[in-house]
PDB file of all heavy atoms in Angstrom:
ATOM      1  N   ASP A 371      27.215 -40.736  -1.548  1.00  0.00           N
ATOM      2  CA  ASP A 371      25.825 -40.360  -1.225  1.00  0.00           C
ATOM      3  C   ASP A 371      24.954 -40.530  -2.472  1.00  0.00           C
ATOM      4  O   ASP A 371      23.808 -40.888  -2.380  1.00  0.00           O
ATOM      5  CB  ASP A 371      25.807 -38.873  -0.804  1.00  0.00           C
ATOM      6  CG  ASP A 371      24.383 -38.508  -0.272  1.00  0.00           C
ATOM      7  OD1 ASP A 371      24.021 -39.124   0.729  1.00  0.00           O
ATOM      8  OD2 ASP A 371      23.720 -37.693  -0.892  1.00  0.00           O
ATOM      9  N   ARG A 382      38.103 -47.266 -20.120  1.00  0.00           N
ATOM     10  CA  ARG A 382      38.115 -46.353 -21.224  1.00  0.00           C
ATOM     11  C   ARG A 382      37.880 -44.929 -20.843  1.00  0.00           C
ATOM     12  O   ARG A 382      38.350 -43.992 -21.551  1.00  0.00           O
ATOM     13  CB  ARG A 382      37.005 -46.757 -22.224  1.00  0.00           C
ATOM     14  CG  ARG A 382      37.509 -47.617 -23.357  1.00  0.00           C
ATOM     15  CD  ARG A 382      36.486 -47.905 -24.401  1.00  0.00           C
ATOM     16  NE  ARG A 382      36.629 -49.320 -24.797  1.00  0.00           N
ATOM     17  CZ  ARG A 382      35.790 -50.045 -25.628  1.00  0.00           C
ATOM     18  NH1 ARG A 382      34.710 -49.312 -26.063  1.00  0.00           N
ATOM     19  NH2 ARG A 382      35.925 -51.178 -25.898  1.00  0.00           N
ATOM     20  N   TYR A 386      40.395 -41.862 -21.550  1.00  0.00           N
ATOM     21  CA  TYR A 386      39.874 -40.604 -22.159  1.00  0.00           C
ATOM     22  C   TYR A 386      40.176 -39.329 -21.367  1.00  0.00           C
ATOM     23  O   TYR A 386      40.582 -38.339 -21.896  1.00  0.00           O
ATOM     24  CB  TYR A 386      38.354 -40.692 -22.366  1.00  0.00           C
ATOM     25  CG  TYR A 386      37.794 -39.456 -23.020  1.00  0.00           C
ATOM     26  CD1 TYR A 386      37.992 -39.238 -24.338  1.00  0.00           C
ATOM     27  CD2 TYR A 386      37.108 -38.540 -22.216  1.00  0.00           C
ATOM     28  CE1 TYR A 386      37.457 -38.114 -24.909  1.00  0.00           C
ATOM     29  CE2 TYR A 386      36.580 -37.416 -22.793  1.00  0.00           C
ATOM     30  CZ  TYR A 386      36.729 -37.152 -24.133  1.00  0.00           C
ATOM     31  OH  TYR A 386      36.257 -35.973 -24.733  1.00  0.00           O
ATOM     32  N   ASP A 390      41.633 -35.634 -22.350  1.00  0.00           N
ATOM     33  CA  ASP A 390      40.632 -34.631 -22.221  1.00  0.00           C
ATOM     34  C   ASP A 390      41.198 -33.519 -21.378  1.00  0.00           C
ATOM     35  O   ASP A 390      41.196 -32.338 -21.695  1.00  0.00           O
ATOM     36  CB  ASP A 390      39.361 -35.173 -21.624  1.00  0.00           C
ATOM     37  CG  ASP A 390      38.104 -34.187 -21.753  1.00  0.00           C
ATOM     38  OD1 ASP A 390      37.971 -33.642 -22.854  1.00  0.00           O
ATOM     39  OD2 ASP A 390      37.405 -34.023 -20.741  1.00  0.00           O
ATOM     40  N   ALA A 501      23.811 -33.065  -6.733  1.00  0.00           N
ATOM     41  CA  ALA A 501      25.199 -33.294  -7.203  1.00  0.00           C
ATOM     42  C   ALA A 501      25.422 -34.890  -7.135  1.00  0.00           C
ATOM     43  O   ALA A 501      25.090 -35.552  -6.213  1.00  0.00           O
ATOM     44  CB  ALA A 501      26.173 -32.637  -6.358  1.00  0.00           C
ATOM     45  N   PHE A 519      26.382 -29.130 -13.865  1.00  0.00           N
ATOM     46  CA  PHE A 519      27.505 -30.021 -13.521  1.00  0.00           C
ATOM     47  C   PHE A 519      28.568 -29.917 -14.546  1.00  0.00           C
ATOM     48  O   PHE A 519      28.303 -29.926 -15.744  1.00  0.00           O
ATOM     49  CB  PHE A 519      26.999 -31.442 -13.490  1.00  0.00           C
ATOM     50  CG  PHE A 519      28.103 -32.492 -13.387  1.00  0.00           C
ATOM     51  CD1 PHE A 519      28.922 -32.597 -12.281  1.00  0.00           C
ATOM     52  CD2 PHE A 519      28.388 -33.274 -14.483  1.00  0.00           C
ATOM     53  CE1 PHE A 519      29.947 -33.460 -12.260  1.00  0.00           C
ATOM     54  CE2 PHE A 519      29.396 -34.252 -14.433  1.00  0.00           C
ATOM     55  CZ  PHE A 519      30.215 -34.335 -13.358  1.00  0.00           C
ATOM     56  N   ARG A 523      29.956 -26.254 -18.838  1.00  0.00           N
ATOM     57  CA  ARG A 523      28.623 -25.613 -18.955  1.00  0.00           C
ATOM     58  C   ARG A 523      28.681 -24.107 -18.770  1.00  0.00           C
ATOM     59  O   ARG A 523      27.715 -23.423 -18.487  1.00  0.00           O
ATOM     60  CB  ARG A 523      27.616 -26.133 -17.877  1.00  0.00           C
ATOM     61  CG  ARG A 523      27.219 -27.632 -18.129  1.00  0.00           C
ATOM     62  CD  ARG A 523      26.194 -27.773 -19.323  1.00  0.00           C
ATOM     63  NE  ARG A 523      25.848 -29.098 -19.704  1.00  0.00           N
ATOM     64  CZ  ARG A 523      26.605 -29.901 -20.471  1.00  0.00           C
ATOM     65  NH1 ARG A 523      27.758 -29.507 -20.929  1.00  0.00           N
ATOM     66  NH2 ARG A 523      26.140 -31.114 -20.655  1.00  0.00           N
TER      67      ARG A 523
ATOM     68  N   ASP B 192      30.405 -52.946 -24.706  1.00  0.00           N
ATOM     69  CA  ASP B 192      31.799 -53.171 -25.058  1.00  0.00           C
ATOM     70  C   ASP B 192      32.757 -52.565 -24.061  1.00  0.00           C
ATOM     71  O   ASP B 192      33.861 -53.033 -23.751  1.00  0.00           O
ATOM     72  CB  ASP B 192      32.017 -52.800 -26.512  1.00  0.00           C
ATOM     73  CG  ASP B 192      33.457 -53.265 -26.941  1.00  0.00           C
ATOM     74  OD1 ASP B 192      33.643 -54.530 -27.038  1.00  0.00           O
ATOM     75  OD2 ASP B 192      34.337 -52.443 -27.261  1.00  0.00           O
ATOM     76  N   ARG B 203      20.294 -39.720  -9.613  1.00  0.00           N
ATOM     77  CA  ARG B 203      20.636 -38.269  -9.675  1.00  0.00           C
ATOM     78  C   ARG B 203      21.029 -37.790 -11.029  1.00  0.00           C
ATOM     79  O   ARG B 203      20.907 -36.675 -11.372  1.00  0.00           O
ATOM     80  CB  ARG B 203      21.719 -37.902  -8.631  1.00  0.00           C
ATOM     81  CG  ARG B 203      21.131 -37.456  -7.255  1.00  0.00           C
ATOM     82  CD  ARG B 203      22.171 -36.912  -6.363  1.00  0.00           C
ATOM     83  NE  ARG B 203      21.877 -37.420  -4.986  1.00  0.00           N
ATOM     84  CZ  ARG B 203      22.672 -37.308  -3.912  1.00  0.00           C
ATOM     85  NH1 ARG B 203      23.877 -36.788  -4.081  1.00  0.00           N
ATOM     86  NH2 ARG B 203      22.288 -37.781  -2.842  1.00  0.00           N
ATOM     87  N   TYR B 207      19.288 -35.010 -13.336  1.00  0.00           N
ATOM     88  CA  TYR B 207      20.043 -33.926 -13.921  1.00  0.00           C
ATOM     89  C   TYR B 207      19.911 -33.802 -15.390  1.00  0.00           C
ATOM     90  O   TYR B 207      19.794 -32.808 -15.965  1.00  0.00           O
ATOM     91  CB  TYR B 207      21.513 -34.113 -13.518  1.00  0.00           C
ATOM     92  CG  TYR B 207      22.452 -33.056 -14.138  1.00  0.00           C
ATOM     93  CD1 TYR B 207      22.441 -31.824 -13.475  1.00  0.00           C
ATOM     94  CD2 TYR B 207      23.191 -33.265 -15.219  1.00  0.00           C
ATOM     95  CE1 TYR B 207      23.216 -30.815 -14.050  1.00  0.00           C
ATOM     96  CE2 TYR B 207      24.030 -32.207 -15.744  1.00  0.00           C
ATOM     97  CZ  TYR B 207      24.011 -31.003 -15.139  1.00  0.00           C
ATOM     98  OH  TYR B 207      24.754 -30.024 -15.718  1.00  0.00           O
ATOM     99  N   ASP B 211      19.303 -30.683 -17.887  1.00  0.00           N
ATOM    100  CA  ASP B 211      20.457 -30.324 -18.802  1.00  0.00           C
ATOM    101  C   ASP B 211      20.084 -30.311 -20.250  1.00  0.00           C
ATOM    102  O   ASP B 211      20.351 -29.406 -21.011  1.00  0.00           O
ATOM    103  CB  ASP B 211      21.555 -31.340 -18.540  1.00  0.00           C
ATOM    104  CG  ASP B 211      22.904 -30.995 -19.114  1.00  0.00           C
ATOM    105  OD1 ASP B 211      23.325 -29.826 -18.854  1.00  0.00           O
ATOM    106  OD2 ASP B 211      23.673 -31.809 -19.744  1.00  0.00           O
ATOM    107  N   ALA B 310      35.626 -45.103 -27.525  1.00  0.00           N
ATOM    108  CA  ALA B 310      34.370 -44.696 -27.075  1.00  0.00           C
ATOM    109  C   ALA B 310      33.776 -45.515 -25.949  1.00  0.00           C
ATOM    110  O   ALA B 310      33.981 -46.732 -25.887  1.00  0.00           O
ATOM    111  CB  ALA B 310      33.389 -44.692 -28.255  1.00  0.00           C
ATOM    112  N   PHE B 328      34.591 -36.735 -26.671  1.00  0.00           N
ATOM    113  CA  PHE B 328      33.358 -37.283 -26.268  1.00  0.00           C
ATOM    114  C   PHE B 328      32.382 -36.190 -25.857  1.00  0.00           C
ATOM    115  O   PHE B 328      32.734 -35.218 -25.122  1.00  0.00           O
ATOM    116  CB  PHE B 328      33.549 -38.214 -25.139  1.00  0.00           C
ATOM    117  CG  PHE B 328      32.244 -38.652 -24.426  1.00  0.00           C
ATOM    118  CD1 PHE B 328      31.311 -39.397 -25.060  1.00  0.00           C
ATOM    119  CD2 PHE B 328      32.007 -38.217 -23.158  1.00  0.00           C
ATOM    120  CE1 PHE B 328      30.071 -39.765 -24.457  1.00  0.00           C
ATOM    121  CE2 PHE B 328      30.751 -38.483 -22.508  1.00  0.00           C
ATOM    122  CZ  PHE B 328      29.837 -39.330 -23.168  1.00  0.00           C
ATOM    123  N   ASP B 331      29.720 -31.301 -25.817  1.00  0.00           N
ATOM    124  CA  ASP B 331      30.188 -30.121 -25.152  1.00  0.00           C
ATOM    125  C   ASP B 331      31.704 -29.885 -25.335  1.00  0.00           C
ATOM    126  O   ASP B 331      32.355 -29.318 -24.569  1.00  0.00           O
ATOM    127  CB  ASP B 331      29.856 -30.035 -23.635  1.00  0.00           C
ATOM    128  CG  ASP B 331      30.039 -31.439 -22.968  1.00  0.00           C
ATOM    129  OD1 ASP B 331      30.857 -32.172 -23.502  1.00  0.00           O
ATOM    130  OD2 ASP B 331      29.429 -31.694 -21.959  1.00  0.00           O
ATOM    131  N   ARG B 332      32.208 -30.454 -26.504  1.00  0.00           N
ATOM    132  CA  ARG B 332      33.631 -30.266 -26.770  1.00  0.00           C
ATOM    133  C   ARG B 332      33.792 -29.564 -28.076  1.00  0.00           C
ATOM    134  O   ARG B 332      34.835 -29.585 -28.720  1.00  0.00           O
ATOM    135  CB  ARG B 332      34.381 -31.596 -26.823  1.00  0.00           C
ATOM    136  CG  ARG B 332      34.558 -32.229 -25.413  1.00  0.00           C
ATOM    137  CD  ARG B 332      35.613 -31.509 -24.541  1.00  0.00           C
ATOM    138  NE  ARG B 332      35.736 -32.071 -23.246  1.00  0.00           N
ATOM    139  CZ  ARG B 332      34.979 -31.822 -22.256  1.00  0.00           C
ATOM    140  NH1 ARG B 332      33.948 -31.005 -22.402  1.00  0.00           N
ATOM    141  NH2 ARG B 332      35.179 -32.372 -21.030  1.00  0.00           N
TER     142      ARG B 332
END
Side-chain angles (χ1 to χ4, degrees):
Chain A
D371 190 63
R382 266 187 220 170
Y386 180 74
D390 195 44
F519 166 70
R523 289 289 177 274
Chain B
D192 191 62
R203 265 186 220 169
Y207 180 75
D211 196 45
F328 167 69
D331 42 25
R332 289 288 179 276

